[in-house]
mmCIF file of all heavy atoms in Angstrom:
data_model
loop_
_atom_site.group_PDB
_atom_site.id
_atom_site.type_symbol
_atom_site.label_atom_id
_atom_site.label_comp_id
_atom_site.label_asym_id
_atom_site.label_seq_id
_atom_site.Cartn_x
_atom_site.Cartn_y
_atom_site.Cartn_z
ATOM 1 N N ILE J 30 9.436 14.897 11.739
ATOM 2 C CA ILE J 30 10.219 15.714 12.660
ATOM 3 C C ILE J 30 9.486 16.920 13.215
ATOM 4 O O ILE J 30 9.496 17.181 14.393
ATOM 5 C CB ILE J 30 11.665 16.037 12.104
ATOM 6 C CG1 ILE J 30 12.444 14.762 11.901
ATOM 7 C CG2 ILE J 30 12.294 17.140 12.983
ATOM 8 C CD1 ILE J 30 13.675 15.070 10.967
ATOM 9 N N GLN J 31 8.831 17.661 12.229
ATOM 10 C CA GLN J 31 8.098 18.740 12.579
ATOM 11 C C GLN J 31 6.913 18.459 13.501
ATOM 12 O O GLN J 31 6.568 19.139 14.474
ATOM 13 C CB GLN J 31 7.542 19.517 11.334
ATOM 14 C CG GLN J 31 6.838 20.717 11.601
ATOM 15 C CD GLN J 31 7.634 21.874 12.176
ATOM 16 O OE1 GLN J 31 8.829 22.169 11.811
ATOM 17 N NE2 GLN J 31 7.289 22.371 13.436
ATOM 18 N N ARG J 32 6.326 17.345 13.227
ATOM 19 C CA ARG J 32 5.091 16.850 14.088
ATOM 20 C C ARG J 32 5.526 16.593 15.436
ATOM 21 O O ARG J 32 4.990 16.924 16.413
ATOM 22 C CB ARG J 32 4.456 15.749 13.337
ATOM 23 C CG ARG J 32 3.211 15.291 14.149
ATOM 24 C CD ARG J 32 2.348 14.241 13.373
ATOM 25 N NE ARG J 32 3.139 13.077 13.324
ATOM 26 C CZ ARG J 32 2.728 11.950 12.703
ATOM 27 N NH1 ARG J 32 1.519 11.902 12.154
ATOM 28 N NH2 ARG J 32 3.430 10.850 12.729
ATOM 29 N N GLU J 33 6.743 15.886 15.522
ATOM 30 C CA GLU J 33 7.212 15.508 16.825
ATOM 31 C C GLU J 33 7.615 16.832 17.635
ATOM 32 O O GLU J 33 7.365 16.866 18.768
ATOM 33 C CB GLU J 33 8.467 14.663 16.743
ATOM 34 C CG GLU J 33 8.227 13.235 16.285
ATOM 35 C CD GLU J 33 9.417 12.417 15.938
ATOM 36 O OE1 GLU J 33 10.566 12.874 16.044
ATOM 37 O OE2 GLU J 33 9.197 11.213 15.560
ATOM 38 N N GLN J 34 8.208 17.750 16.939
ATOM 39 C CA GLN J 34 8.642 19.019 17.626
ATOM 40 C C GLN J 34 7.307 19.804 18.047
ATOM 41 O O GLN J 34 7.350 20.312 19.217
ATOM 42 C CB GLN J 34 9.403 19.902 16.693
ATOM 43 C CG GLN J 34 10.757 19.353 16.364
ATOM 44 C CD GLN J 34 11.502 20.149 15.319
ATOM 45 O OE1 GLN J 34 10.860 20.947 14.527
ATOM 46 N NE2 GLN J 34 12.844 19.896 15.298
ATOM 47 N N ASP J 35 6.299 19.781 17.269
ATOM 48 C CA ASP J 35 5.042 20.429 17.599
ATOM 49 C C ASP J 35 4.422 19.758 18.835
ATOM 50 O O ASP J 35 3.806 20.394 19.661
ATOM 51 C CB ASP J 35 4.092 20.409 16.428
ATOM 52 C CG ASP J 35 4.480 21.335 15.225
ATOM 53 O OD1 ASP J 35 5.456 22.189 15.478
ATOM 54 O OD2 ASP J 35 3.961 21.270 14.190
ATOM 55 N N TYR J 36 4.482 18.488 18.820
ATOM 56 C CA TYR J 36 3.898 17.526 19.922
ATOM 57 C C TYR J 36 4.621 17.874 21.163
ATOM 58 O O TYR J 36 3.965 18.097 22.264
ATOM 59 C CB TYR J 36 4.035 16.105 19.441
ATOM 60 C CG TYR J 36 3.503 15.237 20.533
ATOM 61 C CD1 TYR J 36 2.144 15.154 20.959
ATOM 62 C CD2 TYR J 36 4.411 14.469 21.380
ATOM 63 C CE1 TYR J 36 1.752 14.260 22.066
ATOM 64 C CE2 TYR J 36 4.045 13.610 22.385
ATOM 65 C CZ TYR J 36 2.657 13.524 22.693
ATOM 66 O OH TYR J 36 2.318 12.703 23.704
ATOM 67 N N GLU J 37 5.896 17.937 21.115
ATOM 68 C CA GLU J 37 6.683 18.239 22.392
ATOM 69 C C GLU J 37 6.431 19.647 22.968
ATOM 70 O O GLU J 37 6.389 19.873 24.083
ATOM 71 C CB GLU J 37 8.200 18.091 22.178
ATOM 72 C CG GLU J 37 8.691 16.640 21.930
ATOM 73 C CD GLU J 37 8.289 15.688 23.158
ATOM 74 O OE1 GLU J 37 8.450 16.195 24.259
ATOM 75 O OE2 GLU J 37 7.764 14.568 22.839
ATOM 76 N N LYS J 38 6.282 20.630 21.959
ATOM 77 C CA LYS J 38 5.942 22.007 22.357
ATOM 78 C C LYS J 38 4.560 22.063 23.002
ATOM 79 O O LYS J 38 4.395 22.618 24.041
ATOM 80 C CB LYS J 38 5.921 22.877 21.061
ATOM 81 C CG LYS J 38 5.729 24.330 21.431
ATOM 82 C CD LYS J 38 5.940 25.077 20.139
ATOM 83 C CE LYS J 38 5.633 26.614 20.425
ATOM 84 N NZ LYS J 38 5.670 27.402 19.179
ATOM 85 N N LEU J 39 3.637 21.323 22.400
ATOM 86 C CA LEU J 39 2.189 21.332 23.001
ATOM 87 C C LEU J 39 2.294 20.565 24.367
ATOM 88 O O LEU J 39 1.619 21.142 25.277
ATOM 89 C CB LEU J 39 1.274 20.552 22.133
ATOM 90 C CG LEU J 39 -0.127 20.388 22.500
ATOM 91 C CD1 LEU J 39 -0.813 21.705 22.623
ATOM 92 C CD2 LEU J 39 -0.894 19.545 21.485
ATOM 93 N N LYS J 40 2.986 19.565 24.483
ATOM 94 C CA LYS J 40 3.165 18.921 25.902
ATOM 95 C C LYS J 40 3.693 19.863 26.856
ATOM 96 O O LYS J 40 3.176 19.839 27.999
ATOM 97 C CB LYS J 40 4.029 17.562 25.771
ATOM 98 C CG LYS J 40 3.405 16.358 25.427
ATOM 99 C CD LYS J 40 4.118 15.237 25.400
ATOM 100 C CE LYS J 40 5.433 15.100 26.236
ATOM 101 N NZ LYS J 40 6.119 13.716 26.095
ATOM 102 N N GLY J 41 4.716 20.707 26.538
ATOM 103 C CA GLY J 41 5.239 21.530 27.466
ATOM 104 C C GLY J 41 4.282 22.650 27.848
ATOM 105 O O GLY J 41 4.178 22.990 29.040
ATOM 106 N N SER J 42 3.527 23.165 26.884
ATOM 107 C CA SER J 42 2.509 24.216 27.078
ATOM 108 C C SER J 42 1.446 23.585 28.090
ATOM 109 O O SER J 42 0.988 24.275 28.969
ATOM 110 C CB SER J 42 1.847 24.556 25.878
ATOM 111 O OG SER J 42 2.797 25.342 25.014
ATOM 112 N N ILE J 43 0.950 22.355 27.809
ATOM 113 C CA ILE J 43 0.010 21.745 28.736
ATOM 114 C C ILE J 43 0.515 21.570 30.132
ATOM 115 O O ILE J 43 -0.166 21.892 31.074
ATOM 116 C CB ILE J 43 -0.536 20.451 28.172
ATOM 117 C CG1 ILE J 43 -1.339 20.677 26.798
ATOM 118 C CG2 ILE J 43 -1.213 19.624 29.054
ATOM 119 C CD1 ILE J 43 -1.521 19.491 26.089
ATOM 120 N N SER J 44 1.815 21.106 30.225
ATOM 121 C CA SER J 44 2.379 20.864 31.540
ATOM 122 C C SER J 44 2.458 22.176 32.318
ATOM 123 O O SER J 44 2.099 22.424 33.526
ATOM 124 C CB SER J 44 3.721 20.399 31.380
ATOM 125 O OG SER J 44 3.776 19.005 31.108
ATOM 126 N N ARG J 45 2.909 23.362 31.604
ATOM 127 C CA ARG J 45 2.942 24.650 32.192
ATOM 128 C C ARG J 45 1.612 25.112 32.643
ATOM 129 O O ARG J 45 1.485 25.731 33.711
ATOM 130 C CB ARG J 45 3.628 25.603 31.227
ATOM 131 C CG ARG J 45 5.072 25.478 31.189
ATOM 132 C CD ARG J 45 5.791 26.609 30.473
ATOM 133 N NE ARG J 45 5.427 26.776 29.104
ATOM 134 C CZ ARG J 45 5.803 26.068 28.153
ATOM 135 N NH1 ARG J 45 6.742 25.061 28.245
ATOM 136 N NH2 ARG J 45 5.261 26.247 26.853
ATOM 137 N N GLY J 46 0.650 24.846 31.741
ATOM 138 C CA GLY J 46 -0.768 25.170 32.173
ATOM 139 C C GLY J 46 -1.281 24.565 33.441
ATOM 140 O O GLY J 46 -1.808 25.216 34.272
ATOM 141 N N PHE J 47 -0.915 23.219 33.538
ATOM 142 C CA PHE J 47 -1.401 22.547 34.738
ATOM 143 C C PHE J 47 -0.571 23.073 35.955
ATOM 144 O O PHE J 47 -1.236 23.155 37.019
ATOM 145 C CB PHE J 47 -1.192 20.982 34.642
ATOM 146 C CG PHE J 47 -2.333 20.348 33.907
ATOM 147 C CD1 PHE J 47 -2.244 19.738 32.643
ATOM 148 C CD2 PHE J 47 -3.674 20.337 34.427
ATOM 149 C CE1 PHE J 47 -3.212 19.111 31.928
ATOM 150 C CE2 PHE J 47 -4.657 19.704 33.765
ATOM 151 C CZ PHE J 47 -4.469 19.184 32.593
ATOM 152 N N GLU J 48 0.645 23.368 35.775
ATOM 153 C CA GLU J 48 1.424 23.942 37.004
ATOM 154 C C GLU J 48 0.845 25.188 37.349
ATOM 155 O O GLU J 48 0.641 25.510 38.602
ATOM 156 C CB GLU J 48 2.845 24.127 36.452
ATOM 157 C CG GLU J 48 3.583 22.795 36.379
ATOM 158 C CD GLU J 48 4.970 23.028 35.708
ATOM 159 O OE1 GLU J 48 5.403 24.191 35.482
ATOM 160 O OE2 GLU J 48 5.630 22.034 35.491
ATOM 161 N N GLN J 49 0.372 26.015 36.412
ATOM 162 C CA GLN J 49 -0.206 27.377 36.824
ATOM 163 C C GLN J 49 -1.605 27.219 37.491
ATOM 164 O O GLN J 49 -1.800 27.862 38.436
ATOM 165 C CB GLN J 49 -0.423 28.233 35.466
ATOM 166 C CG GLN J 49 0.901 28.718 34.877
ATOM 167 C CD GLN J 49 0.685 29.370 33.605
ATOM 168 O OE1 GLN J 49 -0.294 29.165 32.825
ATOM 169 N NE2 GLN J 49 1.660 30.190 33.174
ATOM 170 N N ILE J 50 -2.226 26.139 37.066
ATOM 171 C CA ILE J 50 -3.606 25.920 37.667
ATOM 172 C C ILE J 50 -3.285 25.473 39.171
ATOM 173 O O ILE J 50 -3.960 25.965 40.101
ATOM 174 C CB ILE J 50 -4.344 24.804 36.995
ATOM 175 C CG1 ILE J 50 -4.847 25.430 35.640
ATOM 176 C CG2 ILE J 50 -5.553 24.275 37.757
ATOM 177 C CD1 ILE J 50 -5.479 24.422 34.742
ATOM 178 N N GLU J 51 -2.383 24.610 39.412
ATOM 179 C CA GLU J 51 -2.060 24.059 40.697
ATOM 180 C C GLU J 51 -1.614 25.265 41.531
ATOM 181 O O GLU J 51 -1.857 25.327 42.744
ATOM 182 C CB GLU J 51 -0.955 23.042 40.643
ATOM 183 C CG GLU J 51 -1.498 21.804 40.112
ATOM 184 C CD GLU J 51 -0.479 20.650 39.893
ATOM 185 O OE1 GLU J 51 0.669 20.887 40.243
ATOM 186 O OE2 GLU J 51 -0.825 19.602 39.464
ATOM 187 N N GLU J 52 -0.864 26.256 40.982
ATOM 188 C CA GLU J 52 -0.439 27.412 41.757
ATOM 189 C C GLU J 52 -1.538 28.523 41.929
ATOM 190 O O GLU J 52 -1.294 29.510 42.630
ATOM 191 C CB GLU J 52 0.784 28.072 40.975
ATOM 192 C CG GLU J 52 1.969 27.218 40.962
ATOM 193 C CD GLU J 52 3.054 27.705 39.942
ATOM 194 O OE1 GLU J 52 2.770 28.799 39.212
ATOM 195 O OE2 GLU J 52 4.105 27.076 39.731
ATOM 196 N N GLY J 53 -2.645 28.322 41.420
ATOM 197 C CA GLY J 53 -3.763 29.136 41.516
ATOM 198 C C GLY J 53 -3.636 30.389 40.488
ATOM 199 O O GLY J 53 -4.487 31.331 40.700
ATOM 200 N N ALA J 54 -2.797 30.221 39.621
ATOM 201 C CA ALA J 54 -2.657 31.378 38.540
ATOM 202 C C ALA J 54 -3.463 31.099 37.365
ATOM 203 O O ALA J 54 -3.046 30.669 36.315
ATOM 204 C CB ALA J 54 -1.139 31.479 38.216
ATOM 205 N N PHE J 55 -4.762 31.394 37.562
ATOM 206 C CA PHE J 55 -5.688 31.236 36.417
ATOM 207 C C PHE J 55 -6.900 32.120 36.642
ATOM 208 O O PHE J 55 -7.168 32.665 37.690
ATOM 209 C CB PHE J 55 -6.194 29.784 36.289
ATOM 210 C CG PHE J 55 -7.048 29.367 37.572
ATOM 211 C CD1 PHE J 55 -8.465 29.502 37.660
ATOM 212 C CD2 PHE J 55 -6.400 28.714 38.607
ATOM 213 C CE1 PHE J 55 -9.108 29.027 38.636
ATOM 214 C CE2 PHE J 55 -7.138 28.272 39.677
ATOM 215 C CZ PHE J 55 -8.516 28.450 39.730
ATOM 216 N N THR J 56 -7.669 32.289 35.560
ATOM 217 C CA THR J 56 -8.822 33.136 35.581
ATOM 218 C C THR J 56 -10.078 32.290 35.293
ATOM 219 O O THR J 56 -10.087 31.539 34.348
ATOM 220 C CB THR J 56 -8.732 34.280 34.551
ATOM 221 O OG1 THR J 56 -7.578 35.120 34.854
ATOM 222 C CG2 THR J 56 -10.041 35.253 34.624
ATOM 223 N N GLU J 57 -11.032 32.380 36.203
ATOM 224 C CA GLU J 57 -12.250 31.599 36.040
ATOM 225 C C GLU J 57 -13.118 32.315 35.039
ATOM 226 O O GLU J 57 -13.399 33.496 35.113
ATOM 227 C CB GLU J 57 -12.917 31.347 37.399
ATOM 228 C CG GLU J 57 -14.075 30.383 37.347
ATOM 229 C CD GLU J 57 -14.520 29.953 38.648
ATOM 230 O OE1 GLU J 57 -13.685 29.880 39.622
ATOM 231 O OE2 GLU J 57 -15.728 29.595 38.761
ATOM 232 N N VAL J 58 -13.673 31.584 34.142
ATOM 233 C CA VAL J 58 -14.600 32.145 33.188
ATOM 234 C C VAL J 58 -15.925 31.366 33.181
ATOM 235 O O VAL J 58 -15.975 30.224 33.322
ATOM 236 C CB VAL J 58 -13.951 31.858 31.596
ATOM 237 C CG1 VAL J 58 -14.915 32.389 30.668
ATOM 238 C CG2 VAL J 58 -12.668 32.519 31.572
#
Side-chain angles (χ1 to χ4, degrees):
I30 291 167
Q31 183 62 53
R32 185 172 66 181
E33 289 171 0
Q34 290 171 344
D35 292 346
Y36 176 74
E37 290 303 318
K38 185 176 176 182
L39 179 60
K40 272 183 26 179
S42 294
I43 291 169
S44 292
R45 283 190 300 281
F47 278 115
E48 288 170 5
Q49 289 172 336
I50 290 169
E51 289 173 1
E52 294 167 359
F55 64 91
T56 302
E57 194 167 325
V58 178

